[in-house]
Amino acid sequence: MIRCVGAVVHDAAGRLLLVRRRRAPGRGRWSLPGGRVEPGESDAVAVVREVREETGLLTEPDALVGTVVRGPYEIHDYACVVLGGHLVAGDDADAARWVDLATFTDLDAADALAPELAETLRTWNTLPR
């Protein structure tokens, strides 16, 4: 298994931070920011780095929300709080945005989300408002 992290980030309005993947896996699909844990990194360091690289935002991780396995990837998703920065897509994300529930639902209906993302977030009670 390849250990990965993801960030479940909501703003004050309850919108969820999503990125559109530039590369596989999930190229062209909207997902949570995140990626591989590098050798010697803790999950906390990795999630902060990944969010910064993909969105330009500085975050602080909190509790583990849940873990999913997608192919060879074991993804540990953490609730995160934004401390600063400016939202801009970077690294392997070609877009980054805050989405409310209506937009998230539209993306899901258009099959534009990463596989099983909506169901997973629904199960974890972390959908946007």
Side-chain angles (χ1 to χ4, degrees):
M1 283 281 133
I2 299 168
R3 189 174 185 90
C4 297
V5 292
V8 180
V9 187
H10 291 92
D11 68 4
R15 296 177 303 171
L16 180 67
L17 180 61
L18 293 180
V19 296
R20 189 172 58 209
R21 297 272 166 224
R22 183 187 316 254
R23 296 189 283 265
R27 181 178 183 189
R29 301 245 182 174
W30 291 93
S31 187
L32 300 175
R36 293 180 183 175
V37 177
E38 299 294 334
E41 272 186 328
S42 66
D43 283 1
V45 169
V47 77
V48 169
R49 176 184 52 76
E50 286 288 346
V51 174
R52 182 72 166 205
E53 288 174 357
E54 293 183 358
T55 71
L57 298 175
L58 176 61
T59 55
E60 180 176 58
D62 194 12
L64 177 68
V65 176
T67 300
V68 295
V69 174
R70 302 280 183 263
Y73 304 102
E74 182 180 70
I75 309 163
H76 303 270
D77 290 311
Y78 291 86
C80 293
V81 176
V82 175
L83 301 177
H86 299 284
L87 184 60
V88 60
D91 192 36
D92 70 343
D94 67 11
R97 64 192 275 201
W98 294 102
V99 299
D100 60 17
L101 183 57
T103 303
F104 186 86
T105 302
D106 289 345
L107 290 169
D108 189 25
D111 197 29
L113 296 176
E116 301 178 36
L117 179 63
E119 296 82 9
T120 300
L121 294 180
R122 200 170 288 114
T123 299
W124 293 344
N125 197 31
T126 55
L127 288 170
R129 284 189 260 145

